[in-house]
Amino acid sequence: MGRIIAIANQKGGVGKTTTAINLAASLAALEKKVIIIDADPQANATSGIGIDTRQLKSTVYDCLVDGKEPYDTVMVTTIENLSVMPSNIDLVGAEIEMLDRPEREKILKGILSKISANYDYVIIDCSPSLGLLTVNALTAANSVIIPVQCEYFALEGLGKLLNTIKIIQGNLNPDLEIEGFLLTMYDSRLRLSNQVAEEVNKHFQQMVFKTIIQRNVKLSEAPSFGQPAILYDADSRGTVNYLNLARELIEKHDPDGK
């Protein structure tokens, strides 16, 4: 069974989608079979991997709402070992349409149970909210990565997210773990960046990834070319950071590299 990892934080602009795309691409480059599940109606993970959202015949929405088989939705990408279950703006209506469904929090779990065995890692890019889509992602996941940007108000809202995780652990998914807090947009020249990094490490200690994602212009540019950083600029600092994160993750779950 593939390890299912949700990337979640209800705060926007913290590097969720950047992490989903680049961590997935880095794991694929390290010869792991990976699929990105785009569970965000903004569909930035889909377009950021080079897929035109206007041309899609079926998406995550069709699986969640119409019961379409996930196999019919999965698309291979130009990157070897990397697939995606795409999204588009239709997903905006999914939460309302799922409201009256029995076991509505477990719909995504049922979908992923059909395909997760085909992959080493299933990476879910969550929407920037704590709505039903994110609850579905956390119910389906083995663990959650929480990106925290090294900027003002970084810790704001984290309490609410941790509370949601606790509720899900208590009621829907007792096995859900926090994979780790990931420091993003770090700039060593800024005192604020260093203060936030210090604060997060003090609060969460061993739960913080050793790898820090530094602020990097190539990471910001790559999505507009429909590429992860590893394709856009293989030598960039952002590429190196995400490859290190992927190695840290593999080392944790698969120390023998099998």
Side-chain angles (χ1 to χ4, degrees):
M1 279 292 267
R3 185 164 186 83
I4 302 171
I5 302 175
I7 299 177
N9 190 331
Q10 79 275 22
K11 201 167 183 291
V14 298
K16 265 194 311 293
T17 302
T18 300
T19 296
I21 293 171
N22 290 291
L23 174 58
S26 297
L27 287 165
L30 295 169
E31 301 183 339
K32 299 295 179 185
K33 282 203 76 178
V34 189
I35 184 168
I36 300 173
I37 310 297
D38 193 347
D40 183 353
Q42 294 174 83
N44 291 335
T46 302
S47 58
I49 214 91
I51 292 165
D52 186 346
T53 57
R54 295 164 301 181
Q55 305 292 325
L56 293 171
K57 290 186 169 59
S58 63
T59 66
V60 172
Y61 171 87
D62 299 290
C63 298
L64 289 169
V65 174
D66 299 328
K68 195 176 180 83
E69 285 300 319
Y71 292 107
D72 300 332
T73 304
V74 172
M75 299 176 75
V76 293
T77 71
T78 53
I79 299 159
E80 196 180 348
N81 296 322
L82 181 61
S83 301
V84 63
M85 188 183 278
S87 172
N88 61 14
I89 195 66
D90 290 352
L91 198 57
V92 165
E95 294 200 340
I96 293 167
E97 295 182 63
M98 289 158 69
L99 273 178
D100 295 330
R101 298 270 294 278
E103 301 231 285
R104 61 192 179 192
E105 300 91 354
K106 296 183 179 176
I107 298 170
L108 185 60
K109 185 176 185 169
I111 293 163
L112 296 187
S113 69
K114 296 179 180 180
I115 61 168
S116 63
N118 300 327
Y119 301 94
D120 297 308
Y121 289 93
V122 179
I123 306 290
I124 310 175
D125 185 29
C126 296
S127 61
S129 75
L130 293 177
L132 190 52
L133 285 173
T134 299
V135 168
N136 260 266
L138 294 173
T139 302
N142 300 116
S143 61
V144 54
I145 290 176
I146 303 169
V148 181
Q149 88 282 32
C150 295
E151 292 177 1
Y152 203 56
F153 294 137
L155 300 179
E156 198 181 61
L158 271 189
K160 198 179 258 187
L161 174 61
L162 293 172
N163 195 43
T164 300
I165 290 168
K166 201 174 278 182
I167 291 166
I168 285 165
Q169 287 167 329
N171 299 301
L172 296 163
N173 183 4
D175 299 324
L176 179 66
E177 301 170 1
I178 293 177
E179 190 73 58
F181 292 84
L182 176 67
L183 292 163
T184 63
M185 304 177 198
Y186 176 77
D187 186 338
S188 60
R189 298 165 302 178
L190 299 179
R191 192 161 50 159
L192 180 61
S193 268
N194 290 303
Q195 284 172 341
V196 170
E198 213 173 278
E199 188 90 347
V200 171
N201 276 294
K202 194 173 80 184
H203 267 78
F204 301 111
Q205 297 166 355
Q206 272 76 41
M207 293 166 83
V208 183
F209 283 103
K210 291 186 186 76
T211 304
I212 292 177
I213 309 302
Q214 291 160 292
R215 189 174 280 288
N216 178 244
V217 92
K218 301 293 184 187
L219 275 181
S220 311
E221 287 173 358
S224 60
F225 291 88
Q227 294 180 329
I230 201 165
L231 283 190
Y232 180 64
D233 185 344
D235 299 321
S236 72
R237 189 181 282 173
T239 299
V240 173
N241 288 165
Y242 277 109
L243 276 168
N244 287 340
L245 178 65
R247 287 190 189 101
E248 191 175 338
L249 202 57
I250 291 167
E251 181 64 32
K252 182 177 174 184
H253 296 293
D254 189 11
D256 303 325
K258 289 173 188 162

